[in-house]
């Protein structure tokens, strides 16, 4: 059997469909799969950005409105800066997405880059976002003496510790192995070039 | 992009290029549940790719790129429902095999294609579908000489396999 004969066999698929497709069920399946979980890192990125902005505005609003609790302005400013830094990081990421070649290898490079970005962001989060976030809340709590404020501070700390551990887990169990697999696949693409 | 426009394009692609998607699915997935899973995943990625599609790229080039990349990514995920393992629970069935599905020669061809590495497998599919070296280079992102070397290797392999079969 030569290659031309193989093409004849191959082309029979166009003449006699091998499968019928239930299009209504397919649309349902697509909607269901679109809603699947995107990952802790993506969710926490958005959550921290929104929380920083909302809390920052709330912390600034009180002293501006009442002329009291000026210490909150420091907390509010820190949180707004964190929110702004997160937004800038997201915008930079969006711009970075468009610079890859429009090909399978380009898609692979983009996927590897996304994993690198996720890893870099997760590390930056633990180093540059969580400590200032804790500092902002601590400044606010330090000026109050109620048990509620202390409990709130402990709750925020617990949430951030859990978030940090979750991010570490996602990096180790998902992103780092994924990067290895993508790089191995990339190697098979370009091996003939060398 | 409006939802209705997106649906119109998707339904049009499904109508005209369903064969292309099914070829990629058959080349990467071998158990019925895996084929169903991969087909749905390819359909999802095509749906999500529609707003990014620009008419200056040929449709089949775009669809092949999305379908092949999805197959690569799918192949790397752990799946409990690979042949002999648990069926995928709660999965809707969108594919229904027709009587024309059984063809020993085609089964042999797909069996041999499955033995190829993923990049060679992609080249083989594109070659069988009549794409030029240039098209393959554009879709895969590798040089035309790389494509040529792979094609030479694939043809040699299949010539030997065809002789074994007779």
């Amino acid at each position: 059997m030569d290659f031309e004969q193989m093409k004849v066999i191959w082309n029979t698929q166009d003449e006699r469909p091998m499968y019928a497709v239930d299009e209504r069920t397919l649309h349902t399946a697509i909607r269901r799969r679109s809603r699947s979980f995107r990952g802790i890192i993506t969710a926490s990125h958005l959550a921290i950005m929104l929380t920083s902005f909302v809390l920052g505005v709330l912390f600034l609003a009180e002293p501006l409105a009442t002329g009291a609790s000026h210490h909150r302005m420091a907390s509010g400013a820190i949180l707004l800066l964190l929110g702004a830094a997160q937004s800038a990081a997201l915008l930079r990421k969006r711009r970075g997405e468009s610079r890859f070649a429009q090909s399978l290898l380009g898609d692979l490079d983009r996927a590897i880059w996304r994993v690198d970005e996720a890893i870099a962001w997760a590390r930056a989060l633990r180093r540059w976002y969580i400590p200032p976030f804790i500092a902002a809340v601590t400044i606010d709590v330090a000026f109050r003496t109620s048990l509620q404020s202390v409990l709130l501070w402990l709750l925020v700390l617990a949430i951030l510790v859990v978030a940090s551990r979750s991010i570490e887990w996602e990096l180790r169990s998902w992103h780092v192995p994924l990067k290895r697999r993508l790089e191995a696949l990339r190697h098979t693409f370009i091996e003939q070039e060398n | 992009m409006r939802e209705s426009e997106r649906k119109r394009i998707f339904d049009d692609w499904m109508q005209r290029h369903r064969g292309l998607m099914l070829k990629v699915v058959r080349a990467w997935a071998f158990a019925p549940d895996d084929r169903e899973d991969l087909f749905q995943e390819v359909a999802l990625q095509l749906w999500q790719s529609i707003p990014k599609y620009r008419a200056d790229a040929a449709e089949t080039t775009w669809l092949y790129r999305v379908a092949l990349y999805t197959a690569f990514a799918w192949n790397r995920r752990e799946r409990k429902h690979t042949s002999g393992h648990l069926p995928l629970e709660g999965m809707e069935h969108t594919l229904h095999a027709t009587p024309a599905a059984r063809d020993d020669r085609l089964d042999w061809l797909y069996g041999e294609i499955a033995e190829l590495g993923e990049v060679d497998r992609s080249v083989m599919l594109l070659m069988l579908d009549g794409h030029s070296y240039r098209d393959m280079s554009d879709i895969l992102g590798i040089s035309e000489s790389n494509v040529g070397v792979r094609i030479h290797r694939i043809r040699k392999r299949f010539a030997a396999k065809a002789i074994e079969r007779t």
Side-chain angles (χ1 to χ4, degrees), chain A residues 13 17 33 104 107 188 192, chain B residues 37 65 98 110 139 150:
Chain A
Q13 295 176 96
R33 285 176 183 243
L104 259 170
D107 291 340
T188 64
Q192 290 303 139
Chain B
D37 186 30
R65 194 179 128 201
T98 65
Y110 271 110
I139 291 169
R150 291 181 185 274

Side-chain angles (χ1 to χ4, degrees), chain B residues 30-83:
Chain B
F30 314 113
D33 277 349
D34 283 346
R35 284 189 181 164
E36 185 66 62
D37 186 30
L38 180 54
F39 181 75
Q40 290 183 19
E41 197 56 36
V42 170
L44 170 66
Q45 296 306 321
L46 280 175
W47 171 262
Q48 291 182 335
S49 79
I50 289 169
K52 297 178 213 157
Y53 173 67
R54 298 286 171 261
D56 54 352
E59 271 180 9
T60 52
T61 301
W62 181 265
L63 266 73
Y64 251 121
R65 194 179 128 201
V66 172
L68 287 171
Y69 186 81
T70 306
F72 288 165
W74 179 88
N75 207 28
R76 272 154 184 74
R77 287 207 310 256
E78 283 188 26
R79 299 180 310 284
K80 291 189 183 131
H81 52 282
T82 48
S83 54

Side-chain angles (χ1 to χ4, degrees), chain A residues 4 7 9 34 42-43 45 54 65 69-70 83 91 102 108 115 131 140 147 160 162 174 186 190:
Chain A
E4 290 310 312
K7 280 192 81 170
I9 296 167
S34 294
T42 307
H45 197 149
V54 169
S69 308
H70 288 103
L91 278 170
Q102 297 295 308
L108 205 48
V115 174
D140 189 62
L147 178 63
L160 292 174
V162 167
W174 175 251
R186 191 182 193 283
I190 63 171

